[in-house]
Amino acid sequence: MQIALKIWRYDSSTGERALREYELDAPEWATLLDCLDILKDQQDGTLAFRKSCRMMICGSCGMRMDGAAVLACKTRMYDIAQAGHVPTISAMGNLPIVKDLVVDMDPFWEKFKAMKPYLQPGYERPEDGREYLISQERMNVVHKESLCINCGCCVSECNAMESDPEFLGPQALAKGMRFVGDPRDGATIERLEEYSTEHGIWDCTRCYFCNERCPKGVDPRDAIAKLGAEAVHSGVDRDMGAKHAKWFVRSAETTGWLRETELVPKTQGVVSSIKEIKFAMSLARRGKVPPPFPPHVARDVDEARNLHNLVRGQDRGGALGQVQGEHALGKLAHGYDEERDPYGPGSFPKPYLPEEGAA
Ligand code: SF4
Ligand code: SF4
Ligand code: FES
């Protein structure tokens, strides 16, 4: 099949940057990575990109297609060529470009190392000298996080990292959850304290782009939600983000509403709130904030309270209380357009639904 590609070429040593167009002949089964290989082999040996396994496991071939991160070896070109589309290929975002499609991964690995991605001592070894047995239910908590191949596609699209390059980011935090959720790790509280400081868990903007782009289904945003829940559950809640979340739960339980007016004093404390009085008054004058007293209580507040009591009674505190697969469930609930899936028709693994029977 005939394929056309536009590729952003860049040379960090000279600063030269140019969008070049290429045409090539490739077999119908070709992926984006196959096409780049053909190009480099037959037309332009200076084109730089990373690759290794060619089977979605090493994480080397992350790059952007039409502005969204993909694994080149997972991206089939057949449908794109059939549609006559000419995709634009560029280097991943949020990391410095070295040459063409190759980015400097050092900042990525620095954050990875900062998570201390190894089990720390402190757990009790089984007395009989045999292996440490963990229940399936316990491992399910970190199953998705264990699938990460460190490709950087999530980091490429992270909104919070764009405005704060020091933000730990989705990949590092997902790695953190992989160890916080592991019952053999002996440093859970220390980890939660470290991950809850500035540039940590609570600086995520919840844009969900990392879930959207992760090619392995890790769903890093879900991992960050689990870290936040574990932090609050363990009493590591000094950060304003944790206080913010706790107040929303309390507010929903007591009134059935999210009382945003009281968010500032409950989150930032009395002194900071006093400093914001002038701003609050100007908002109130323009009718932007409802009066905090008496608090508005929803007519069916008992429903909110019952829901709260139900969840509490299920003993699902911390990470166990997080809904898994929100992204996949969202696709089911809001419709899924297979034609627009960048990985092609059939690539979306539908969650198992009991009424459909075992697939
Ligand atoms: S959800 Fe959070 S971690 Fe994920 S991409 Fe958005 S800001 Fe980054
Ligand atoms: S979380 Fe997903 S996108 Fe991010 S590095 Fe791991 S595998 Fe890649
Ligand atoms: S080449 Fe290894 S993940 Fe693509």
Coordinates of all heavy atoms in Angstrom, one line a residue, residues 88-142:
T88 N 0.8 13.5 10.8 CA 2.0 14.2 11.1 C 2.6 13.6 12.3 O 2.0 13.4 13.4 CB 1.7 15.7 11.5 OG1 1.1 16.3 10.3 CG2 2.9 16.5 11.8
I89 N 3.9 13.2 12.2 CA 4.6 12.5 13.2 C 5.6 13.4 13.9 O 6.3 14.1 13.1 CB 5.4 11.3 12.6 CG1 4.5 10.4 11.7 CG2 6.0 10.4 13.7 CD1 3.2 9.9 12.3
S90 N 5.6 13.5 15.2 CA 6.6 14.4 15.9 C 7.0 13.7 17.2 O 6.5 12.6 17.6 CB 5.9 15.7 16.2 OG 4.7 15.5 16.9
A91 N 8.0 14.3 17.8 CA 8.6 13.8 19.0 C 7.5 13.9 20.2 O 6.6 14.8 20.1 CB 9.9 14.5 19.4
M92 N 7.7 13.1 21.2 CA 6.8 13.2 22.4 C 6.9 14.6 23.0 O 7.9 15.3 22.9 CB 7.1 12.1 23.4 CG 6.7 10.7 23.0 SD 6.7 9.6 24.4 CE 8.4 9.5 24.9
G93 N 5.8 15.0 23.7 CA 5.8 16.3 24.4 C 6.4 16.2 25.8 O 6.7 15.1 26.3
N94 N 6.6 17.3 26.4 CA 7.1 17.4 27.8 C 8.5 16.9 28.1 O 8.8 16.7 29.3 CB 6.1 16.8 28.8 CG 4.8 17.7 29.0 OD1 4.9 18.9 28.9 ND2 3.7 17.0 29.2
L95 N 9.2 16.5 27.1 CA 10.6 16.1 27.2 C 11.4 16.8 26.2 O 10.9 16.9 25.0 CB 10.7 14.5 27.1 CG 10.0 13.7 28.2 CD1 9.8 12.3 27.8 CD2 10.9 13.8 29.5
P96 N 12.7 17.1 26.5 CA 13.5 17.9 25.5 C 13.8 17.0 24.3 O 14.1 15.8 24.4 CB 14.8 18.2 26.2 CG 14.6 17.8 27.6 CD 13.4 16.9 27.7
I97 N 13.7 17.5 23.1 CA 14.0 16.8 21.9 C 15.5 16.8 21.6 O 16.2 17.8 21.7 CB 13.3 17.4 20.6 CG1 11.8 17.4 20.9 CG2 13.6 16.5 19.4 CD1 11.0 18.1 19.8
V98 N 16.1 15.6 21.4 CA 17.5 15.5 21.0 C 17.6 15.6 19.5 O 18.4 16.4 19.0 CB 18.1 14.1 21.5 CG1 19.5 14.0 21.2 CG2 17.8 14.0 23.0
K99 N 16.9 14.7 18.8 CA 17.0 14.7 17.3 C 15.7 14.1 16.8 O 15.3 13.0 17.3 CB 18.2 14.0 16.8 CG 18.4 14.1 15.3 CD 19.8 13.6 14.9 CE 20.1 13.8 13.5 NZ 19.2 13.2 12.5
D100 N 15.1 14.7 15.8 CA 13.9 14.2 15.2 C 12.8 13.7 16.2 O 12.2 14.4 16.9 CB 14.3 13.1 14.1 CG 15.2 13.7 13.1 OD1 15.2 14.9 12.9 OD2 16.0 12.9 12.5
L101 N 12.7 12.3 16.3 CA 11.7 11.7 17.1 C 12.3 11.2 18.4 O 11.6 10.5 19.2 CB 11.0 10.6 16.3 CG 10.4 11.0 15.0 CD1 9.8 9.8 14.2 CD2 9.4 12.1 15.1
V102 N 13.5 11.5 18.7 CA 14.2 11.0 19.9 C 14.2 12.1 21.0 O 14.6 13.2 20.7 CB 15.7 10.6 19.6 CG1 16.4 10.2 20.9 CG2 15.7 9.5 18.6
V103 N 13.6 11.8 22.1 CA 13.6 12.8 23.2 C 14.6 12.3 24.3 O 15.0 11.2 24.4 CB 12.2 12.9 23.9 CG1 11.3 13.6 22.9 CG2 11.7 11.5 24.3
D104 N 15.0 13.3 25.1 CA 15.9 13.1 26.2 C 15.1 12.5 27.4 O 14.3 13.2 27.9 CB 16.6 14.4 26.6 CG 17.5 14.2 27.8 OD1 17.7 13.1 28.3 OD2 18.1 15.2 28.3
M105 N 15.3 11.2 27.7 CA 14.5 10.6 28.8 C 15.0 10.8 30.2 O 14.5 10.3 31.1 CB 14.4 9.1 28.5 CG 13.6 8.7 27.2 SD 11.8 9.1 27.3 CE 11.2 7.6 28.2
D106 N 16.2 11.6 30.3 CA 16.8 11.7 31.7 C 15.8 12.3 32.7 O 15.7 11.7 33.8 CB 18.0 12.6 31.6 CG 19.2 11.8 31.1 OD1 19.0 10.6 30.9 OD2 20.3 12.4 30.9
P107 N 15.0 13.4 32.4 CA 14.1 13.9 33.4 C 13.0 12.8 33.8 O 12.6 12.8 34.9 CB 13.4 15.1 32.7 CG 14.3 15.4 31.5 CD 15.0 14.2 31.1
F108 N 12.6 12.0 32.8 CA 11.7 10.9 33.1 C 12.3 9.9 34.0 O 11.6 9.6 35.0 CB 11.4 10.3 31.7 CG 10.4 9.1 31.7 CD1 9.1 9.3 31.5 CD2 10.9 7.8 31.9 CE1 8.2 8.2 31.5 CE2 10.1 6.7 31.9 CZ 8.7 6.9 31.7
W109 N 13.5 9.5 33.8 CA 14.1 8.5 34.7 C 14.4 9.1 36.1 O 14.4 8.3 37.1 CB 15.4 7.9 34.0 CG 15.0 7.1 32.8 CD1 15.5 7.3 31.5 CD2 14.2 5.9 32.7 NE1 14.9 6.4 30.7 CE2 14.1 5.5 31.4 CE3 13.4 5.2 33.6 CZ2 13.4 4.5 30.9 CZ3 12.7 4.1 33.2 CH2 12.7 3.8 31.9
E110 N 14.7 10.4 36.1 CA 15.0 11.0 37.4 C 13.8 10.9 38.3 O 13.9 10.5 39.5 CB 15.4 12.5 37.3 CG 16.8 12.7 36.7 CD 17.9 12.0 37.5 OE1 17.8 12.0 38.8 OE2 18.8 11.4 36.9
K111 N 12.6 11.1 37.8 CA 11.4 11.1 38.5 C 11.1 9.6 38.9 O 10.6 9.3 40.0 CB 10.2 11.7 37.8 CG 10.3 13.2 37.8 CD 9.3 13.9 36.9 CE 9.6 15.4 36.9 NZ 8.9 16.0 35.8
F112 N 11.3 8.7 38.0 CA 11.1 7.3 38.2 C 12.0 6.8 39.4 O 11.5 6.2 40.3 CB 11.6 6.5 36.9 CG 11.6 5.1 37.0 CD1 10.4 4.3 36.8 CD2 12.7 4.3 37.2 CE1 10.4 3.0 36.9 CE2 12.7 3.0 37.3 CZ 11.5 2.3 37.1
K113 N 13.3 7.3 39.4 CA 14.2 6.9 40.5 C 13.7 7.5 41.8 O 13.8 6.9 42.9 CB 15.6 7.4 40.2 CG 16.3 6.4 39.3 CD 17.8 6.7 39.2 CE 18.1 7.7 38.0 NZ 19.4 8.1 37.9
A114 N 13.1 8.7 41.8 CA 12.7 9.4 43.0 C 11.6 8.7 43.7 O 11.3 8.8 44.9 CB 12.2 10.8 42.6
M115 N 10.9 7.8 43.0 CA 9.8 7.0 43.6 C 10.3 5.8 44.4 O 9.6 5.1 45.0 CB 8.8 6.5 42.5 CG 8.3 7.6 41.6 SD 7.7 9.0 42.4 CE 6.1 8.5 43.0
K116 N 11.6 5.6 44.3 CA 12.2 4.4 45.0 C 11.5 3.1 44.5 O 10.8 2.5 45.2 CB 12.2 4.5 46.5 CG 12.9 5.7 47.0 CD 13.2 5.6 48.5 CE 14.0 6.8 48.9 NZ 13.3 7.7 49.8
P117 N 11.6 2.8 43.2 CA 10.8 1.8 42.6 C 11.3 0.4 42.9 O 11.7 -0.4 42.0 CB 10.9 2.1 41.1 CG 12.2 2.7 40.9 CD 12.5 3.5 42.2
Y118 N 11.4 0.0 44.2 CA 11.8 -1.3 44.6 C 11.2 -1.5 46.0 O 10.9 -0.6 46.7 CB 13.3 -1.4 44.7 CG 14.0 -0.2 45.2 CD1 14.0 0.1 46.6 CD2 14.5 0.8 44.4 CE1 14.6 1.3 47.1 CE2 15.1 2.0 44.9 CZ 15.1 2.2 46.2 OH 15.7 3.3 46.7
L119 N 11.0 -2.8 46.3 CA 10.4 -3.1 47.6 C 11.4 -2.7 48.7 O 12.6 -3.0 48.7 CB 10.1 -4.6 47.7 CG 8.9 -5.1 46.9 CD1 8.8 -6.6 47.1 CD2 7.6 -4.5 47.4
Q120 N 10.9 -2.0 49.8 CA 11.7 -1.7 50.9 C 11.5 -2.6 52.0 O 10.4 -3.0 52.3 CB 11.4 -0.2 51.3 CG 11.7 0.7 50.1 CD 11.9 2.1 50.5 OE1 12.6 2.4 51.5 NE2 11.4 3.1 49.8
P121 N 12.6 -2.9 52.7 CA 12.4 -3.9 53.8 C 11.5 -3.5 54.9 O 11.2 -2.3 55.0 CB 13.9 -4.1 54.3 CG 14.6 -2.9 53.8 CD 13.9 -2.4 52.6
G122 N 11.0 -4.4 55.7 CA 10.2 -4.1 56.8 C 9.0 -5.1 56.9 O 8.4 -5.1 57.9
Y123 N 8.8 -5.9 55.9 CA 7.7 -6.8 55.9 C 8.2 -8.1 56.6 O 9.4 -8.4 56.7 CB 7.2 -7.1 54.6 CG 8.2 -7.6 53.5 CD1 8.5 -9.0 53.4 CD2 8.9 -6.7 52.7 CE1 9.4 -9.4 52.5 CE2 9.8 -7.1 51.8 CZ 10.0 -8.5 51.7 OH 10.9 -8.9 50.7
E124 N 7.3 -8.8 57.1 CA 7.6 -10.1 57.8 C 7.8 -11.2 56.8 O 6.9 -11.5 56.0 CB 6.6 -10.5 58.8 CG 6.6 -9.6 60.1 CD 5.5 -9.9 61.0 OE1 4.9 -11.0 60.9 OE2 5.1 -9.1 61.8
R125 N 8.9 -11.9 56.9 CA 9.1 -13.0 55.9 C 8.3 -14.2 56.4 O 8.2 -14.4 57.7 CB 10.6 -13.4 55.8 CG 11.4 -12.3 55.2 CD 12.9 -12.6 55.2 NE 13.6 -11.5 54.8 CZ 13.9 -11.2 53.5 NH1 13.4 -12.0 52.6 NH2 14.6 -10.1 53.1
P126 N 7.8 -15.0 55.5 CA 7.1 -16.2 56.0 C 8.0 -17.1 56.8 O 9.2 -17.3 56.4 CB 6.7 -16.9 54.7 CG 6.7 -15.8 53.7 CD 7.7 -14.8 54.1
E127 N 7.5 -17.7 57.9 CA 8.4 -18.4 58.8 C 9.0 -19.7 58.2 O 10.1 -20.1 58.5 CB 7.6 -18.8 60.1 CG 7.5 -17.7 61.0 CD 6.7 -18.1 62.2 OE1 6.4 -19.2 62.4 OE2 6.4 -17.1 63.0
D128 N 8.3 -20.3 57.3 CA 8.8 -21.6 56.8 C 9.8 -21.4 55.7 O 10.3 -22.3 55.0 CB 7.7 -22.5 56.2 CG 6.8 -21.7 55.2 OD1 7.2 -20.6 54.8 OD2 5.8 -22.2 54.8
G129 N 10.2 -20.1 55.4 CA 11.3 -19.9 54.4 C 10.8 -20.0 53.0 O 11.5 -19.9 52.0
R130 N 9.5 -20.1 52.8 CA 8.9 -20.2 51.5 C 8.6 -18.8 50.9 O 8.8 -17.8 51.6 CB 7.7 -21.1 51.5 CG 8.1 -22.5 52.0 CD 6.9 -23.4 51.9 NE 6.5 -23.7 50.5 CZ 5.6 -24.5 50.1 NH1 4.9 -25.2 51.1 NH2 5.3 -24.7 48.9
E131 N 8.0 -18.8 49.8 CA 7.7 -17.5 49.2 C 6.6 -16.8 49.9 O 5.8 -17.5 50.6 CB 7.4 -17.6 47.7 CG 6.0 -18.3 47.4 CD 6.1 -19.8 47.2 OE1 6.9 -20.4 47.9 OE2 5.3 -20.3 46.4
Y132 N 6.5 -15.5 49.7 CA 5.5 -14.7 50.4 C 4.2 -14.8 49.5 O 4.2 -14.4 48.3 CB 6.0 -13.2 50.4 CG 5.2 -12.3 51.3 CD1 5.7 -11.7 52.4 CD2 3.8 -12.0 51.0 CE1 5.0 -10.9 53.2 CE2 3.1 -11.2 51.8 CZ 3.7 -10.6 52.9 OH 2.9 -9.7 53.6
L133 N 3.2 -15.4 50.1 CA 1.9 -15.5 49.3 C 1.0 -14.3 49.5 O 0.8 -13.9 50.6 CB 1.2 -16.8 49.7 CG 1.9 -18.1 49.5 CD1 1.1 -19.3 50.0 CD2 2.2 -18.3 48.0
I134 N 0.5 -13.8 48.4 CA -0.4 -12.7 48.4 C -1.7 -13.1 47.7 O -1.6 -13.7 46.7 CB 0.2 -11.5 47.7 CG1 1.6 -11.1 48.3 CG2 -0.7 -10.2 47.9 CD1 2.3 -10.0 47.5
S135 N -2.8 -12.7 48.3 CA -4.1 -13.0 47.7 C -4.3 -12.3 46.3 O -3.7 -11.2 46.1 CB -5.2 -12.7 48.6 OG -5.4 -11.3 48.6
Q136 N -5.0 -12.9 45.4 CA -5.3 -12.3 44.2 C -6.0 -10.9 44.4 O -5.7 -10.0 43.7 CB -6.2 -13.2 43.3 CG -6.5 -12.7 41.9 CD -5.2 -12.6 41.1 OE1 -4.4 -13.5 41.0 NE2 -5.1 -11.5 40.4
E137 N -6.9 -10.9 45.3 CA -7.7 -9.7 45.6 C -6.7 -8.5 45.9 O -6.9 -7.4 45.5 CB -8.7 -9.9 46.7 CG -9.6 -8.7 46.9 CD -10.3 -8.8 48.3 OE1 -9.9 -9.5 49.2 OE2 -11.4 -8.2 48.4
R138 N -5.7 -8.9 46.7 CA -4.7 -7.9 47.2 C -3.9 -7.4 46.0 O -3.6 -6.2 45.8 CB -3.8 -8.5 48.2 CG -3.2 -7.5 49.2 CD -4.2 -6.7 50.0 NE -3.5 -5.7 50.8 CZ -3.1 -4.5 50.2 NH1 -3.3 -4.3 49.0 NH2 -2.5 -3.6 51.0
M139 N -3.5 -8.3 45.1 CA -2.7 -7.9 43.9 C -3.5 -7.2 42.9 O -3.0 -6.4 42.1 CB -2.0 -9.1 43.3 CG -0.8 -9.7 44.0 SD 0.3 -8.4 44.6 CE 1.2 -7.9 43.1
N140 N -4.8 -7.4 42.9 CA -5.7 -6.7 41.9 C -5.5 -5.2 42.0 O -5.7 -4.5 41.1 CB -7.2 -7.1 42.1 CG -7.4 -8.5 41.5 OD1 -6.6 -9.1 40.8 ND2 -8.6 -9.0 41.9
V141 N -5.3 -4.8 43.3 CA -5.2 -3.3 43.6 C -4.0 -2.7 42.7 O -4.1 -1.6 42.3 CB -4.9 -3.1 45.1 CG1 -4.7 -1.6 45.4 CG2 -6.1 -3.6 45.9
V142 N -3.0 -3.5 42.5 CA -1.8 -2.9 41.7 C -1.6 -3.6 40.4 O -0.6 -3.4 39.8 CB -0.5 -2.9 42.5 CG1 -0.6 -2.0 43.7 CG2 -0.2 -4.3 43.0

